[in-house]
Amino acid sequence: MKTLQQAWQRVRRRRAAVTLLLGLPWALAATALALRLSGFDIACVVATVALLIIATVATTRARQLDRRWLQRRLDASGASEDSADLLFADVGTLNPLQQRQRTHVLAALERNLPELRPRWPRRAMALCWIGGIAVAVLALGWPHNTAPRTAALATPQGSSKAGPLRLQSTRLHIDAPAYTGQPTRTQNALDAKVAADSGLSWSLRFDRTPSKAWLQFHDGRRLPLREHDGEWQAQDVARTPVLYRVVSEPALADTRLHRLDVVADRAPTVRVIDPAASLVLGTPGQRQWTLRFEASDDHGVLPQATLSITTTQGSGENITFVRRSVTLNGSGEATARRFAHTLDLAALGAQPGNDVIAQLEVRDNHAPTAQLGRSSSVILRLPSTEAVLGAEMEGRIKKTLPAYFRSQRQIIIDAEALIRERRAVAADTFIKRSDAIGVDQRILRLRYGQFLGEESEGAPKPPPTSDLPTSDTPAADTHDDEQDHEAQAGAHDEHGHDHGGAASGSDTPPVFGSAADVLSEYGHTHDHAEAATLLDPQTRATLKAALDQMWSAEGELRQGRPEQALPFAYKALAFIKQVQQAERIYLARVGPELPPIDEGRRLSGDRAGLASRELPLAARTPPDPAVVEAWQRLGDEDGTPDLDMLAAWQQRNSAFLPDALDLAAAIEQLRIEPGCTECRQRLRAQLWRTLQRPLPQVMRRSAADAMGQRYLDALEAQP
């Protein structure tokens, strides 16, 4: 069965091929006739239509050889024993005898399959090709009407009878520069948008041969057209956007302008991917710095780029610069390449306090001279030794201070331990121990209160260090992030250091970890509540709520009721943990240092020594009065502007106009049709876009009424 199917497909392909070979010569002849009579454009249409018709006929004729035709053909040849219908029937619907006959016929066809393909119609094909080629040769080779044109040109009557020339076909061949990667293209339209430095070739056909023809550009340049085999051709290179029209003698019937836009090649752009910021602060001991860039261009970036590295060494006025260059290979597509490099800071000789500046330079594939693109500079600033020491000192202080602040958590632990030992402790001892915990709560409350600007209540000094748990006791191991919060709060420790009690002028030595002592030793304070400036208002409010809960917990503990004190102590701890997440303000209360006011000059009107506050105004170039006059004349129905002046002004200022070609087209259109109202409005609209907008003026105040005028007169009459 497979062999039969293949033979059937060969038959259908043979018929389709015969149909194509019989029709192609006549399609060629029709195309040649259309080219001779109507031009290239009509010839392309005729060729396309003819090929579509031939393909449709070939497909239709091939599909006519269907299954019924195959059955008749097999039965007629005798190879199927008049049982060809069994070959294409469903095997499940056949009786055993029919199935046996089907198997027998298939075996016979496998052994001896008859030739089903039709013969090649050699005579018909030869006649068709001879006739088609003959018609095409006659159509293309038949001589043109070479009657002398001198008589027609010499007599005006002959030219007037012939009428204006008409373009039969137009073709513009655009060959873009190789670096753009754009393919060569050919179009029928004379308007085009091409890359800069593209090669342009025009090929035009007229309905009759003119005496001469050329391309007239809007800037006054002429490009002559030369005849070659009935086509008028010209070549040029696209450098600037222009408007042009086809001009001939005798004149053309169609004199419209055509626009040729030229797209200049842009320089490549480079974007810094990593690092994200232009200034990066290095870390102590940093050895490497990773850089990544992305370069993009409209036509492509060269695979190699140059990374410029500048290292600054020294400080003050003794700064030296060391410059190096590294060649990088990019990856990715040509229009968007990525470059990556990791700098070895030790190899560059970068030391603490130095800056490393990097900038990538890429080039595109523009010919003959590549265009350069640079990235923005990225700077790695390595910290100096002094900055590192200062940071380490601050870190040590922050790491040491939290070891002193575990009191609120410790108070809760001591209270819970006391509650568990209630049955094993005498009542008096239980009350004394509860009162001692309350004293600890009071000391902690007073210490926190100092950082809210509260004054001391004159409480006795805290107990010695030996009576309080330290960082070495087991109870101290249960502290959590509260210590970080309480370290920011200031000067409390459980080792007996009274940081808040040191007054101004005291002879006691400073205590390490005290916020007040640190400020007084390494800075200068401005008021008695300096510690209150360390917290923002929201944090102060939260800390005040914690102090209120400490007060309630203290009262219950002093009265021997630790069970009632625990809820207040837990709430105080929760507020303290909120303060831990709050923002801090580390600015001292320093007022602005304004110059002293000279009271003797107040309200005196003396302006001696005062600089002028008037801002310098940049001179604004006024619009060309001739252009303004032309715009006004275009608004009048009878006004006629000077189009030659406008064209010259447009050429001088083409680089500054929003759309110079549209303005030139409007000028030329009005020149061709002076009475066209729509053309006048279009030119007027284009001129309006070129005029500068007037600056907004200050509105005058409305005149005073009778009552207001009497009031003003009374003010002026007063001495």
Side-chain angles (χ1 to χ4, degrees):
M1 191 64 179
K2 183 178 180 180
T3 305
L4 181 60
Q5 292 286 348
Q6 294 176 352
W8 183 20
Q9 295 299 327
R10 288 195 298 269
V11 172
R12 302 180 77 171
R13 287 195 293 269
R14 172 69 63 86
R15 173 168 282 194
V18 170
T19 306
L20 289 175
L21 291 176
L22 291 175
L24 282 177
W26 301 113
L28 178 62
T31 303
L33 287 173
L35 181 62
R36 176 62 183 269
L37 298 177
S38 302
F40 180 78
D41 296 341
I42 301 300
C44 292
V45 175
V46 171
T48 303
V49 173
L51 291 177
L52 288 176
I53 293 175
I54 294 173
T56 303
V57 173
T59 304
T60 303
R61 295 197 65 208
R63 289 180 177 178
Q64 289 177 354
L65 304 180
D66 54 2
R67 185 179 300 176
R68 292 183 180 180
W69 174 88
L70 182 60
Q71 294 177 8
R72 292 194 301 268
R73 187 75 173 81
L74 292 175
D75 291 340
S77 64
S80 63
E81 300 178 359
D82 294 334
S83 301
D85 55 337
L86 298 177
L87 300 177
F88 302 98
D90 188 6
V91 180
T93 60
L94 301 179
N95 56 41
L97 181 60
Q98 291 175 331
Q99 293 181 5
R100 184 173 182 179
Q101 178 64 14
R102 182 177 183 276
T103 304
H104 173 70
V105 172
L106 285 175
L109 291 177
E110 290 288 342
R111 292 191 304 269
N112 186 17
L113 182 66
E115 180 61 39
L116 302 177
R117 293 178 297 177
R119 297 180 179 179
W120 290 101
R122 303 179 185 276
R123 180 176 299 179
M125 291 171 57
L127 292 176
C128 289
W129 277 98
I130 292 173
I133 293 175
V135 173
V137 169
L138 290 174
L140 297 177
W142 193 267
H144 291 273
N145 185 12
T146 58
R149 298 191 302 268
T150 56
L153 294 174
T155 58
Q157 293 82 3
S159 61
S160 63
K161 290 180 181 179
L165 286 175
R166 296 184 182 277
L167 283 171
Q168 283 188 342
S169 64
T170 58
R171 186 170 62 229
L172 178 60
H173 183 80
I174 303 170
D175 188 9
Y179 72 86
T180 62
Q182 298 178 1
T184 301
R185 71 179 192 269
T186 302
Q187 62 182 37
N188 298 327
L190 296 180
D191 298 272
K193 186 175 184 180
V194 300
D197 300 329
S198 296
L200 305 176
S201 298
W202 288 269
S203 180
L204 311 176
R205 274 187 185 274
F206 300 93
D207 58 351
R208 65 179 188 277
T209 306
S211 60
K212 61 179 179 178
W214 66 91
L215 300 179
Q216 181 67 52
F217 295 91
H218 79 282
D219 55 2
R221 185 167 58 95
R222 283 189 176 189
L223 183 62
L225 293 167
R226 295 178 176 83
E227 184 183 10
H228 179 72
D229 293 338
E231 292 187 348
W232 293 77
Q233 300 175 353
Q235 291 79 31
D236 196 14
V237 178
R239 302 190 187 279
T240 57
V242 291
L243 295 171
Y244 71 98
R245 62 162 52 91
V246 181
V247 183
S248 65
E249 291 183 1
L252 276 172
D254 187 4
T255 59
R256 69 174 181 269
L257 286 170
H258 303 284
R259 179 166 179 161
L260 189 65
D261 287 311
V262 177
V263 181
D265 184 22
R266 299 192 306 269
T269 59
V270 187
R271 181 173 63 93
V272 182
I273 300 178
D274 191 16
S278 58
L279 177 60
V280 181
L281 299 179
T283 57
Q286 182 175 351
R287 298 180 178 273
Q288 293 181 339
W289 189 28
T290 302
L291 302 172
R292 290 191 301 157
F293 304 88
E294 183 182 48
S296 58
D297 187 72
D298 45 2
H299 297 304
V301 181
L302 293 180
Q304 291 186 341
T306 303
L307 180 63
S308 300
I309 307 168
T310 303
T311 306
T312 64
Q313 298 178 353
S315 61
E317 298 180 354
N318 299 323
I319 296 180
T320 59
F321 298 90
V322 180
R323 292 180 173 85
R324 297 178 178 85
S325 297
V326 178
T327 301
L328 305 182
N329 293 320
S331 61
E333 300 179 357
T335 55
R337 294 189 187 275
R338 292 206 170 190
F339 300 87
H341 186 68
T342 301
L343 297 179
D344 188 354
L345 301 181
L348 295 175
Q351 301 295 330
N354 297 162
D355 290 350
V356 180
I357 307 170
Q359 187 181 43
L360 186 70
E361 297 181 355
V362 299
R363 288 173 172 81
D364 61 4
N365 52 9
H366 184 273
T369 304
Q371 299 183 99
L372 180 65
R374 293 186 178 90
S375 70
S376 59
S377 298
V378 288
I379 305 173
L380 174 65
R381 181 158 295 168
L382 299 176
S384 61
T385 306
E386 294 79 4
V388 173
L389 291 177
E392 291 181 354
M393 177 62 71
E394 181 180 0
R396 289 171 182 172
I397 293 175
K398 289 184 177 180
K399 292 177 182 178
T400 305
L401 287 177
Y404 301 143
F405 306 122
R406 288 190 284 262
S407 56
Q408 186 61 34
R409 171 67 68 180
Q410 190 64 46
I411 288 172
I412 295 175
I413 294 174
D414 293 344
E416 291 177 345
L418 180 60
I419 293 173
R420 289 193 298 268
E421 298 175 1
R422 174 187 289 272
R423 296 182 180 179
V425 178
D428 295 342
T429 305
F430 180 84
I431 294 176
K432 289 181 180 180
R433 291 181 58 181
S434 178
D435 181 68
I437 298 174
V439 171
D440 294 338
Q441 181 70 85
R442 176 173 178 271
I443 295 173
L444 177 62
R445 177 177 59 82
L446 294 179
R447 297 289 174 82
Y448 275 106
Q450 294 177 3
F451 296 95
L452 294 180
E454 299 179 359
E455 296 182 356
S456 175
E457 299 179 3
K461 293 183 179 181
T465 307
S466 58
D467 296 339
L468 293 177
T470 65
S471 57
D472 297 331
T473 59
D477 295 335
T478 61
H479 72 282
D480 59 2
D481 291 341
E482 175 204 352
Q483 61 183 10
D484 297 332
H485 141 70
E486 296 179 355
Q488 299 293 345
H492 171 75
D493 65 51
E494 295 188 80
H495 294 256
H497 302 300
D498 190 2
H499 304 295
S504 177
S506 176
D507 295 334
T508 59
V511 180
F512 180 78
S514 171
D517 292 327
V518 170
L519 287 173
S520 62
E521 183 175 0
Y522 297 101
H524 69 283
T525 59
H526 296 273
D527 53 33
H528 67 281
E530 177 69 28
T533 65
L534 298 177
L535 302 175
D536 59 272
Q538 183 178 2
T539 306
R540 287 169 52 85
T542 307
L543 188 55
K544 181 64 170 63
L547 294 180
D548 295 340
Q549 299 299 324
M550 291 181 184
W551 174 271
S552 301
E554 175 190 346
E556 298 295 338
L557 289 170
R558 297 296 293 270
Q559 298 180 35
R561 296 195 295 267
E563 296 88 350
Q564 288 80 359
L566 280 179
F568 300 109
Y570 274 112
K571 289 181 180 180
L573 179 61
F575 283 123
I576 291 174
K577 297 179 73 66
Q578 292 181 18
V579 173
Q580 176 187 356
Q581 306 299 329
E583 297 180 354
R584 272 70 168 178
I585 299 177
Y586 297 98
L587 300 178
R589 292 179 178 175
V590 179
E593 299 179 0
L594 300 177
I597 300 175
D598 187 0
E599 299 292 343
R601 295 182 58 181
R602 296 190 65 184
L603 302 178
S604 64
D606 184 9
R607 300 182 57 85
L610 297 180
S612 176
R613 296 186 179 181
E614 296 181 358
L615 297 177
L617 298 179
R620 186 179 180 91
T621 304
D624 193 339
V627 178
V628 177
E629 182 182 359
W631 179 80
Q632 294 173 348
R633 288 193 175 188
L634 288 171
D636 301 335
E637 296 181 0
D638 300 334
T640 303
D642 188 353
L643 297 182
D644 294 335
M645 181 275 300
L646 286 179
W649 179 84
Q650 181 269 339
Q651 294 179 14
R652 291 194 307 269
N653 301 275
S654 59
F656 309 102
L657 297 177
D659 197 337
L661 291 186
D662 277 355
L663 178 58
I667 294 173
E668 293 299 322
Q669 192 65 29
L670 184 60
R671 194 193 303 273
I672 297 172
E673 304 178 30
C676 177
T677 305
E678 183 179 353
C679 300
R680 294 172 63 90
Q681 295 300 325
R682 179 186 173 190
L683 178 56
R684 195 166 189 262
Q686 292 293 333
L687 288 178
W688 175 255
R689 296 177 60 190
T690 63
L691 297 177
Q692 296 180 353
R693 303 293 184 271
L695 294 176
Q697 302 294 329
V698 179
M699 297 182 62
R700 286 184 171 273
R701 181 181 298 175
S702 58
D705 54 7
M707 182 179 296
Q709 190 62 42
R710 289 197 300 270
Y711 176 75
L712 294 176
D713 294 341
L715 289 178
E716 293 179 357
Q718 290 182 359

